[in-house]
Amino acid sequence: MALGGGFARGFAHLGVLQVLEQHHIPISCIAGTSVGSILGAAYASGASLARIMATCRTLRLRDIARWRVSRLGFASNHRLGDLIERVFEARQFEDLHIPMAVVATDLNSGEPVVITHGNLIDAIRASCAFPGLFEPVEIGTRCLADGGLVAPVPTRAARDLGAEYVLGVSVGVQDGYRGTPSNIFQVVSRAVTAAQKHQHEVWERHADLVLRPDVQSLAWDDFERADEAIEAGAAAARSALPRIQKFLARGPNVREYDAQEQAQLWLAEAVR
């Protein structure tokens, strides 16, 4: 699984996980960016989907952000640590039930940083440090920010974990509002979205199937609409089940897809 960023839209990841769990689809590893890192790591820690969903239904931005305007951002996301302490069943990568990779961006080099060992809280906070909104997070000598800048959907990280078949879930980072931007967050969000439009071919080539739940009507901060996002993710996963089950029946040689079948797969996703 490669779970992308998208703030409240990312609750759709839970619907995808729910359908896979209901149909006994095994998950060998998870890679997450931004909100995908939070939900992916929570699931990988062994916390039940019911517990994660219940938490998300009550989650609000104030549970993540502590407003304190500085030169580097409008808020700190230290409160994420409290959320992890409350919901997760593990605090270290080494204690996760499912191998996990969290992707952040190194602001010094502009390169992706894939974290697979050590402290989960710091890694997730770094991956979720959306520029302009949250202060960057320092880990060692690195100054890290949102992983979505370099890996909107971390399919390469999932492949590097050893996945034979990579299922990517993209929910987008658009702010969800119409018209001219009205604040600095909308300006930054739309700039990041514009840049990511030119990254699709980079991360999609490491995916065997990409799900795009219908969450375009949700704004980035529509946390109270968690159930809508979850259902959108579940609907996308249900529509993809025949393809996923076909792979499982065929075995791990996923690269045996012929050109016509692969073209039909991507066309179906584009039409959706």
Side-chain angles (χ1 to χ4, degrees):
M1 294 289 291
L3 307 180
F7 290 92
R9 296 177 178 207
F11 293 147
H13 296 321
L14 298 176
V16 175
L17 290 169
Q18 182 180 50
V19 170
L20 296 183
E21 189 175 275
Q22 289 170 343
H23 289 83
H24 309 290
I25 306 295
I27 299 174
S28 62
C29 56
I30 302 174
T33 287
S34 196
V35 67
S37 73
I38 302 174
L39 301 178
Y43 189 75
S45 78
S48 69
L49 272 177
R51 183 180 178 186
I52 300 171
M53 288 179 180
T55 300
C56 289
R57 290 185 179 105
T58 63
L59 193 67
R60 297 296 181 265
L61 185 60
R62 64 177 176 270
D63 298 315
I64 299 172
R66 176 180 289 116
W67 300 105
R68 58 172 196 184
V69 178
S70 75
R71 293 177 299 170
L72 300 178
F74 284 114
S76 162
N77 64 10
H78 274 96
R79 288 180 177 172
L80 260 179
D82 298 332
L83 178 67
I84 292 171
E85 291 285 350
R86 189 169 73 251
V87 180
F88 286 31
E89 295 295 329
R91 312 292 183 269
Q92 300 286 321
F93 281 91
E94 290 79 3
D95 297 328
L96 295 173
H97 292 204
I98 300 173
M100 176 82 193
V102 171
V103 182
T105 301
D106 188 328
L107 292 181
N108 293 320
S109 67
E111 296 297 319
V113 175
V114 181
I115 307 170
T116 58
H117 297 87
N119 186 282
L120 267 174
I121 294 176
D122 290 343
I124 292 172
R125 285 187 55 234
S127 186
C128 295
F130 192 81
L133 177 60
F134 292 119
E135 298 168 339
V137 174
E138 292 186 7
I139 298 181
T141 61
R142 288 171 165 159
C143 181
L144 304 179
D146 198 307
L149 300 173
V150 290
V153 182
T155 52
R156 172 66 183 273
R159 185 75 68 189
D160 289 345
L161 281 174
E164 293 280 357
Y165 181 89
V166 175
L167 176 63
V169 185
S170 174
V171 296
V173 299
Q174 298 95 328
D175 58 51
Y177 293 99
R178 305 292 182 182
T180 304
S182 60
N183 57 59
I184 188 172
F185 175 79
Q186 291 182 13
V187 171
V188 175
S189 175
R190 294 184 193 187
V192 170
T193 299
Q196 288 183 349
K197 286 182 179 180
H198 302 286
Q199 295 186 41
H200 285 173
E201 65 181 33
V202 176
W203 63 260
E204 284 182 354
R205 69 168 174 253
H206 296 290
D208 298 290
L209 179 63
V210 175
L211 303 186
R212 293 184 173 85
D214 184 11
V215 290
Q216 299 310 302
S217 66
L218 274 67
W220 70 274
D221 56 351
D222 275 338
F223 293 97
E224 71 279 1
R225 298 173 66 183
D227 282 324
E228 293 178 53
I230 292 170
E231 177 50 37
R238 285 192 293 266
S239 72
L241 272 175
R243 295 182 190 131
I244 299 171
Q245 290 169 333
K246 184 176 182 180
F247 164 79
L248 292 176
R250 176 181 283 179
N253 296 319
V254 69
R255 295 304 177 187
E256 292 180 1
Y257 277 119
D258 60 41
Q260 181 179 1
E261 182 178 4
Q262 191 68 28
Q264 290 173 344
L265 183 154
W266 288 112
L267 177 60
E269 287 300 316
V271 169
R272 259 185 50 77

